[in-house]
Amino acid sequence: MFELALKKPVALICITMLLASFISAANLSNEQILKRIESSQNGEKIEAIIDYVALNFHYKTKQALAYAEQGLVLLAQNPNDDQSARLLSHQARAYISYGDLDKANATALAAQQYAKNSALKANEIRVQLVLADIAIRQRKYDLARARLIDVMEQTASAEDERFLASAKRLSGNLYSKIRDYEAALGSYLHSLSLYRKLGETQLSASIHQSLASLYRRMNLYEKVLFHQNRAIQLSLTLDNLNQQSIFYSNMGTYFDEVGKFEKAIEMHLKSLSIKKELGYKLGMIHTYNRLGSVYREAGKYQEAEDVLMQAIALKKEINRPDPNISTFLDLGRLYIDTGQLDLAQSYLEQSIPLYQGSPWEDRIAEIYQALAKLYVQREQPQKAIDAYMVAINIAREHEREPLLMDCQLEVAQIFESLGMHQQALSYTKGHLALKNKWEEKNNQYRISALAIEFGVSEKEREIASLVQQNRIKDLEIEKQAVQQVVFLIGMLFLFCFFSFSYFWRTKNKQLKIEQTALKQVSEAKERLSHALWGSGDELWDWDLQTGMITRDNQMNKLCLPCEHIGFDLSAIKTSVHPEDYEQLYAKFNRHLQGDSDFYQVNYRVMTKSGRWLWVLDRGKVTARAQDGTPLRVSGTIKDISDIKASELALAELNATLEKRVEERTLSLKQSRDELSEILDELTSTQANLVEAQKMASLGRLVAGVSHELNTPLGTTVTASSILLRELFEFKSKLEASKLTLTDTKAFIDVSLSSIELIDSNTERAAQLIKRFKQASAHEYVSSESRVDLKACIEGFIGFHGKDTDVMVNIDCPDKCYVQCDSQALAKIFEDLYLNAYLHGFEGKRGQISIKVTVDNEQVTLRFSDNGKGVEQQAVAHMFEPFYTTARHQGKVGLGLYMVFNLVTYVLQGSIRYCPDYESGACFEIMFSTGGAH
């Protein structure tokens, strides 16, 4: 027992000494290190030079390289494998910062040989990390992955956790380069956890910076701003000006990208001030470039030109390989905005060769986008289109989706202005498809990020729990030892003292645990707030037991009740559009009854200004009683008015194209008719009118069928494509022997989901086709019989009215017989009844009246209800196929069209709507008794 108590302090002392040796250079100021270099000799001087290069390889690269050469001269006179390995490793990192990767690689390979000769594990791992960093920058990703795996296999013990953290950080950089953002996030979070454990605040801040950059790639700006702000706060606690200069600059870039230009300028000016104080000229160039871009976007053109010219002058002054090559591009954009087009074109063309072959080659697409805008101002649309095509191809090749969407929309506008409507429509559709795919990918990234963060948090909690258990065991051991000592010496007072001390320590630890838990809850709420702010969603939570509802990130412009809402949806009925409320009510209550895992519905909500706003409402029951009664419902509300506006714009464009085609067709017909004689002209005109009516009817039919079948067939095609892609990927991994159990399960899950989608949507399409087929009057032929009209009506009402609250009054003579198709007659009553129940009463209580009169073998049947009636604008179209006012509820619009066909072509009668009916709707049907008595 006492041996165990001695071993742990010794191990902790060893670990502490090892970590202290790793960070000793970081704890020394430049002035102290330079004094050591000047005052020391031989090996001690070499150690001071190694410390200087390790501390300044990035911010004072030239000075670090000069001191490294001086150290190598000393090592040639006093050989030392350990010192040579460490100095060359840090010198290689300086060459990386200088931008000379070839020299960096050669220097690191030389360091690797010295590391092997030194037989020190730390030296070999350090060199492997540098080589992995170089391989990532040279895009040799397989080599980098192999080196990092080797490092992680060697860092198995607790003493190597700092190297493991560095390896995880480089793994994050690697995965970020190859766009495996989920793996990158996991690596960064693991690295952050290790650095926190080691108390490395400076490196923890750097990881927060890397996380911000990664979330920027994933388009999750609420997390970008959170982690970048966290990085700045940590650097402020350390008073680390080097880090602060970079972190402020990056925060300025992120504020610029979310449109907060004044905040962006403030951050860049802070960064520039610090970089000037440090003499960090390369960083100053970068900040001048970013300031120029923000000033331009904020409309401050003179300030933008001034700082960009300062960047050019400073580049000439330092005269070194420079990754900050965006100055000419920013100047080109500036001069386009100020109308200096010749100067803008010159700078843009000069910037193209600077980006070719560089790691930022994808930005050539931005150059061509700027050139296209320049050509638009010069009224050279064809050159603008050609430039946009180059930009689109480059953006697609490098997977720059936001830039690709902007270019597609801008080139569509040019095609529209030229009257090339088909091309404009094609690129507009491409823009919308890519936008939907982009939003879906962002949602997937958001979900993946939450899952990964949750998993890492769970692991950290498990580790903390194990540490707590070990501490409790240690306390138990100490307690037993104290009790033995007290028992041996018999000092009751000392026993009481130790007991009280133990109790007091336990209470303090419990208090700290509770404080930590409260802090974690607070941080979780803060992350949720950032997530809601970034997505624009409103989060609501409804307690069905108390009728209280809470809303987070509430959209203030919506007229939705807060706090007490009651126990059903009636409280929001006045705020929801009347045409949308029934759909919301039906889907919400079906979900409460357990018919679906969640509900999702689009509807319009009244704003405080009196306008209607489209929203997407998603929710699910989060708590139920033992008998299944829902107790709590939670969900989100998202503003989708822009998406709806895009859909309307596309529909308007289609309508415009059809109208132009019709106008040109009519013009051609008129020109041809003018050459004909008067009689031929009349005959041809009549034939053309008949043909036009047929074609218009056929067009409406085809458009309706296409519209209704498009969704299930489109979903089927999408699911089939996903299944095919996953199958090829599964096959590829199988053939490459890289298939894992996780991959197999994922493939099975995707396959089952795709097959379910294909099956459900093909069934939906089949049902629609069956419905279309029923719309044809030819389905009811050669089945006439003698029918008692009153008995037929009473039988129909008895069958269909038993499950509804609809009252039916029948006024029909006894023994009123007609000779007709009984199946068609039943279908007419069924569709009129359903039309009144679903549209007139909206599924609620109502009253229907059926009055039949017979005069000279002519039957007149009036079918009326006391529902809400038919809007005036719908009267002219109610018998047209696929016309419906409830398409949002899944209605096809064939009911009254089928009634019209059956009355007209099967019963050989007529039907009309009575617009002057006092309330509700009224249809009058007239047909012959067929000679029946």
Side-chain angles (χ1 to χ4, degrees):
M1 182 181 301
F2 288 105
E3 181 181 359
L4 178 62
L6 288 172
K7 284 183 178 179
K8 286 191 175 182
V10 172
L12 289 173
I13 291 170
C14 293
I15 294 172
T16 303
M17 292 177 65
L18 183 60
L19 292 177
S21 66
F22 283 144
I23 62 175
S24 59
N27 292 330
L28 296 173
S29 66
N30 277 330
E31 292 76 9
Q32 292 173 321
I33 297 174
L34 290 173
K35 287 181 181 178
R36 284 177 53 205
I37 293 175
E38 295 299 325
S39 61
S40 57
Q41 297 291 330
N42 300 328
E44 186 179 349
K45 186 171 186 174
I46 294 172
E47 285 294 335
I49 290 174
I50 292 173
D51 290 343
Y52 182 87
V53 176
L55 186 62
N56 296 281
F57 70 89
H58 181 71
Y59 300 99
K60 297 183 178 181
T61 307
K62 283 189 175 182
Q63 296 90 324
L65 289 173
Y67 274 110
E69 292 297 332
Q70 184 179 347
L72 291 175
V73 171
L74 293 174
L75 282 169
Q77 301 170 0
N78 303 279
N80 185 300
D81 291 335
D82 173 38
Q83 290 180 330
S84 296
R86 287 186 284 128
L87 179 58
L88 288 171
S89 295
H90 297 311
Q91 186 183 29
R93 297 171 73 187
Y95 279 126
I96 292 173
S97 297
Y98 194 72
D100 194 339
L101 296 181
D102 292 335
K103 280 189 177 181
N105 191 59
T107 304
L109 291 174
Q112 187 177 40
Q113 187 60 48
Y114 283 112
K116 291 180 180 178
N117 295 338
S118 70
L120 292 175
K121 179 181 176 182
N123 287 337
E124 295 185 28
I125 294 176
R126 186 183 297 107
V127 175
Q128 283 285 72
L129 291 173
V130 175
L131 286 169
D133 189 10
I134 295 171
I136 293 172
R137 296 171 187 269
Q138 292 178 332
R139 303 182 185 179
K140 298 177 181 179
Y141 300 129
D142 291 337
L143 177 60
R145 184 182 290 108
R147 293 190 187 282
L148 289 173
I149 291 174
D150 184 34
V151 169
M152 284 185 271
E153 289 177 350
Q154 295 182 58
T155 55
S157 62
E159 292 83 356
D160 299 325
E161 282 187 339
R162 192 170 189 274
F163 286 129
L164 178 59
S166 298
K168 286 294 181 180
R169 178 182 180 181
L170 287 175
S171 296
N173 295 343
L174 171 63
Y175 288 127
S176 180
K177 290 287 186 182
I178 63 177
R179 297 179 182 272
D180 189 351
Y181 298 143
E182 289 84 357
L185 180 58
S187 297
Y188 282 143
L189 291 175
H190 192 175
S191 176
L192 178 62
S193 176
L194 291 172
Y195 281 137
R196 285 174 175 171
K197 179 181 177 182
L198 295 170
E200 288 283 1
T201 305
Q202 179 176 332
L203 294 173
S204 296
S206 181
I207 292 296
H208 280 292
Q209 161 67 30
S210 299
L211 283 167
S213 178
L214 176 64
Y215 282 126
R216 178 194 182 193
R217 290 172 174 261
M218 299 169 72
N219 205 36
L220 303 178
Y221 274 90
E222 71 278 3
K223 295 183 180 294
V224 171
L225 298 177
F226 170 78
H227 284 285
Q228 191 64 32
N229 183 62
R230 185 62 179 157
I232 291 174
Q233 296 302 319
L234 290 175
S235 66
L236 289 173
T237 61
L238 298 174
D239 196 23
N240 189 327
L241 295 180
N242 291 328
Q243 277 193 337
Q244 291 171 29
S245 66
I246 295 178
F247 293 168
Y248 278 129
S249 179
N250 290 337
M251 181 64 94
T253 300
Y254 302 149
F255 276 130
D256 178 19
E257 290 174 350
V258 297
K260 296 185 177 181
F261 301 133
E262 294 302 325
K263 291 291 291 183
I265 292 172
E266 179 186 348
M267 292 295 105
H268 285 310
L269 289 176
K270 282 186 178 181
S271 174
L272 183 61
S273 174
I274 297 173
K275 289 174 180 177
K276 286 181 178 180
E277 180 182 348
L278 296 173
Y280 182 28
K281 295 182 178 180
L282 186 62
M284 291 168 61
I285 294 173
H286 177 78
T287 302
Y288 281 138
N289 288 335
R290 298 311 305 147
L291 264 175
S293 178
V294 180
Y295 277 137
R296 176 183 62 83
E297 292 174 320
K300 300 179 179 180
Y301 299 131
Q302 186 58 52
E303 292 89 338
E305 185 177 27
D306 291 343
V307 295
L308 291 173
M309 288 304 174
Q310 291 182 58
I312 292 177
L314 194 55
K315 283 183 182 182
K316 293 179 181 179
E317 178 183 337
I318 64 175
N319 189 26
R320 55 164 282 187
D322 183 12
N324 299 308
I325 56 179
S326 66
T327 312
F328 288 167
L329 171 58
D330 291 326
L331 280 170
R333 288 170 167 168
L334 171 64
Y335 290 133
I336 289 175
D337 291 347
T338 57
Q340 303 176 64
L341 301 184
D342 292 336
L343 197 56
Q345 184 172 357
S346 173
Y347 276 115
L348 291 173
E349 291 175 349
Q350 290 181 64
S351 66
I352 293 175
L354 296 178
Y355 280 107
Q356 289 174 338
S358 74
W360 306 274
E361 197 168 15
D362 59 295
R363 297 202 67 186
I364 297 177
E366 299 179 38
I367 299 173
Y368 278 99
Q369 183 192 27
L371 285 170
K373 294 179 179 179
L374 182 147
Y375 292 136
V376 169
Q377 288 194 27
R378 287 180 171 172
E379 298 183 355
Q380 297 175 321
Q382 188 55 50
K383 285 189 175 181
I385 291 172
D386 294 339
Y388 272 124
M389 293 301 106
V390 176
I392 287 172
N393 291 333
I394 296 174
R396 185 178 288 115
E397 177 184 355
H398 292 276
E399 300 181 15
R400 291 280 303 275
E401 288 90 347
L403 179 60
L404 179 58
M405 287 189 288
D406 291 343
C407 290
Q408 286 177 329
L409 189 59
E410 290 166 7
V411 78
Q413 294 171 352
I414 297 177
F415 279 127
E416 177 65 19
S417 67
L418 295 176
M420 303 171 70
H421 305 293
Q422 291 294 339
Q423 292 88 336
L425 180 61
S426 174
Y427 279 98
T428 301
K429 287 181 177 179
H431 166 78
L432 292 175
L434 188 58
K435 183 178 180 182
N436 291 334
K437 181 180 178 182
W438 176 248
E439 291 178 350
E440 181 180 351
K441 183 188 292 185
N442 289 339
N443 289 333
Q444 183 179 355
Y445 282 151
R446 184 174 286 104
I447 294 170
S448 299
L450 289 173
I452 293 171
E453 290 176 352
F454 179 78
V456 172
S457 298
E458 283 295 309
K459 290 182 179 179
E460 290 181 348
R461 281 194 287 271
E462 290 176 3
I463 293 172
S465 176
L466 291 174
V467 171
Q468 185 67 19
Q469 291 176 8
N470 290 334
R471 290 177 179 175
I472 291 173
K473 290 180 180 179
D474 291 342
L475 290 174
E476 290 177 351
I477 293 173
E478 292 177 7
K479 178 181 177 181
Q480 294 174 3
V482 170
Q483 288 176 343
Q484 289 178 1
V485 172
V486 171
F487 178 77
L488 292 174
I489 63 178
M491 297 178 64
L492 182 60
F493 175 80
L494 189 59
F495 172 81
C496 295
F497 174 79
F498 278 106
S499 297
F500 177 80
S501 299
Y502 174 76
F503 172 77
W504 183 254
R505 288 183 62 190
T506 304
K507 293 296 289 183
N508 283 338
K509 288 183 179 180
Q510 182 64 30
L511 180 60
K512 289 180 180 179
I513 292 172
E514 292 176 356
Q515 291 175 343
T516 302
L518 290 174
K519 183 179 180 182
Q520 291 175 348
V521 171
S522 176
E523 291 177 350
K525 288 184 178 179
E526 184 179 1
R527 288 196 298 270
L528 177 59
S529 176
H530 283 300
L532 290 175
W533 171 82
S535 65
D537 293 351
E538 173 184 322
L539 178 66
W540 56 266
D541 183 59
W542 186 4
D543 189 343
L544 296 178
Q545 294 179 292
T546 63
M548 298 296 293
I549 189 169
T550 57
R551 301 181 184 275
D552 293 323
N553 197 41
Q554 183 178 1
M555 291 186 278
N556 295 326
K557 57 185 176 182
L558 297 183
C559 295
L560 291 176
C562 300
E563 299 182 355
H564 192 274
I565 193 175
F567 308 97
D568 55 35
L569 290 176
S570 59
I572 69 169
K573 185 175 182 180
T574 56
S575 302
V576 178
H577 197 281
E579 294 179 2
D580 303 336
Y581 178 77
E582 289 304 321
Q583 180 188 11
L584 170 63
Y585 182 85
K587 289 190 176 182
F588 181 81
N589 284 282
R590 281 201 301 269
H591 175 62
L592 291 187
Q593 293 168 6
D595 294 339
S596 61
D597 294 334
F598 64 94
Y599 81 91
Q600 175 175 309
V601 60
N602 300 337
Y603 56 88
R604 287 162 285 184
V605 180
M606 177 72 73
T607 65
K608 294 180 179 179
S609 62
R611 301 177 62 186
W612 294 106
L613 181 72
W614 278 99
V615 298
L616 169 63
D617 189 356
R618 291 168 53 92
K620 67 178 298 183
V621 175
T622 57
R624 290 183 183 271
Q626 293 183 351
D627 60 353
T629 303
L631 303 177
R632 196 179 200 90
V633 187
S634 301
T636 60
I637 294 178
K638 183 179 185 67
D639 181 359
I640 60 170
S641 55
D642 290 341
I643 297 175
K644 287 292 182 180
S646 299
E647 293 176 356
L648 292 175
L650 184 59
E652 183 179 355
L653 179 59
N654 286 332
T656 304
L657 291 175
E658 291 175 0
K659 183 177 179 181
R660 291 176 181 174
V661 172
E662 290 177 359
E663 291 174 352
R664 291 181 182 177
T665 303
L666 180 60
S667 177
L668 290 175
K669 288 180 180 179
Q670 290 174 350
S671 299
R672 184 188 65 187
D673 293 340
E674 290 174 358
L675 302 176
S676 302
E677 294 181 358
I678 297 175
L679 182 60
D680 293 337
E681 180 180 358
L682 293 174
T683 305
S684 177
T685 302
Q686 183 181 11
N688 286 334
L689 288 174
V690 172
E691 187 65 18
Q693 290 176 353
K694 291 180 180 180
M695 291 304 294
S697 177
L698 179 59
R700 287 192 297 271
L701 180 62
V702 171
V705 172
S706 301
H707 177 76
E708 294 301 327
L709 291 177
N710 183 54
T711 299
L713 293 181
T715 304
T716 302
V717 170
T718 302
S720 176
S721 299
I722 292 173
L723 180 58
L724 182 60
R725 184 188 67 194
E726 292 294 327
L727 181 59
F728 278 124
E729 185 176 352
F730 182 82
K731 179 182 177 184
S732 174
K733 289 183 178 180
L734 180 61
E735 292 175 349
S737 299
K738 295 182 179 179
L739 189 64
T740 64
L741 180 58
T742 302
D743 294 333
T744 304
K745 290 181 178 179
F747 173 72
I748 292 173
D749 292 339
V750 171
S751 300
L752 290 175
S753 299
S754 300
I755 291 171
E756 288 176 1
L757 281 174
I758 293 171
D759 185 58
S760 62
N761 282 277
T762 50
E763 176 64 19
R764 168 66 175 162
Q767 291 298 326
L768 287 172
I769 293 172
K770 182 179 179 181
R771 181 70 171 166
F772 302 152
K773 187 176 180 183
Q774 289 176 348
S776 172
H778 298 291
E779 291 296 308
Y780 304 87
V781 294
S782 303
S783 59
E784 290 189 352
S785 61
R786 189 167 180 265
V787 179
D788 186 343
L789 191 56
K790 183 174 184 180
C792 178
I793 295 173
E794 290 176 344
F796 170 82
I797 296 305
F799 177 77
H800 286 277
K802 59 184 179 180
D803 296 326
T804 65
D805 293 330
V806 177
M807 299 294 296
V808 181
N809 298 323
I810 303 173
D811 183 3
C812 179
D814 294 332
K815 298 182 180 180
C816 179
Y817 295 98
V818 294
Q819 187 73 22
C820 67
D821 191 319
S822 60
Q823 182 183 1
L825 189 62
K827 185 62 177 175
I828 291 170
F829 284 126
E830 178 182 1
D831 286 345
L832 289 175
Y833 182 90
L834 291 177
N835 184 69
Y837 179 70
L838 296 176
H839 297 281
F841 308 137
E842 297 182 337
K844 299 178 182 178
R845 183 185 300 274
Q847 183 173 339
I848 293 175
S849 297
I850 303 175
K851 183 176 181 179
V852 180
T853 59
V854 181
D855 186 15
N856 294 328
E857 296 189 351
Q858 184 73 20
V859 178
T860 301
L861 188 150
R862 289 176 67 91
F863 189 102
S864 60
D865 62 66
N866 64 343
K868 67 178 185 179
V870 181
E871 297 178 356
Q872 185 62 36
Q873 61 267 27
V875 172
H877 306 285
M878 64 169 55
F879 294 115
E880 293 180 2
F882 300 103
Y883 180 83
T884 178
T885 59
R887 192 171 301 280
H888 60 281
Q889 297 178 0
K891 307 304 179 184
V892 180
L894 291 176
L896 291 179
Y897 173 67
M898 293 175 63
V899 170
F900 179 87
N901 282 348
L902 294 174
V903 171
T904 305
Y905 300 108
V906 179
L907 299 184
Q908 299 297 314
S910 64
I911 181 172
R912 73 181 185 92
Y913 175 75
C914 303
D916 55 349
Y917 191 69
E918 56 188 12
S919 65
C922 177
F923 296 88
E924 185 178 87
I925 301 173
M926 299 180 68
F927 59 95
S928 173
T929 62
H933 299 286

